[in-house]
Amino acid sequence: MTQDLGHTDTPLLPGSKYRVHDGTRPHPKVVYPGRPCMFSGGEILPAVPPDDAVILFDGKDLSGWISPKDGSPAAWKVENGYMEVVPKTGYISTREEFGDCQLHVEWATPAVPSGNSQGRSNSGIFMMGKYEIQVLDCYDNPTYADGVTGGIYGQFPPLVNACRRPGEWQIYDIIWEAPRFESDKLISPAYITVLFNGVVVQNHTELIGPTLYKKTEPYSPHPPVGPLMLQDHNNPIRFRNIWYRPLKKIDF
Ligand code: MG
């Protein structure tokens, strides 16, 4: 059989400089895809990142993380391949700053929960340091809908509550489209898609603006990149295996 590497006698694609099955069209880069989280012996093993991922936390140290308050070293503890919130030491954020991305985060709440509603094992993942995806033990723990795990806090509840039991590792895979500003004007809001434990809980959700408690606020201009920030809500939540892949528009 001959190899079919493209055609020159096919119609131009609408809005494109390429033809249907165009042999001159650039090829996608090859990426080793890693491996998703797997169950083994009742344990959830960490995912193996794709080989083009940028590692934000590899389970060894917090050298890539600081206190967003004053830039001092992150004060959470690291052991057994995870980091854990040390209550009252404050939020931590990455030195790395990025915009549009695919983000992977694994987290676990204490196996023996205490407190209830928003007081039970609360943390959060703030895209660009401003937009929170809720982290909470919502396994048999009623609270207001836009504060449920997988929700955009204060804005959009998750489509479903896909929480595993407390103590088990849980997985966020997030696709983030940063808001766009021209001088001080918003030209495109942020969009987010979230898979929680493999289940779609946000489907290209358009964010109202940054995350606040008990109120809303419109977007205010910020750079096209920002840090990832994790919340200290006074509960010892664990995180491991945090990485992202920048998503750039490619002229395919
Ligand atoms: Mg939170």
Side-chain angles (χ1 to χ4, degrees), residues 122-124 132 134-135 153 231 233:
N122 192 332
S123 184
E132 184 185 8
Q134 176 69 306
V135 168
Y153 186 73
Q231 184 180 42
H233 202 286

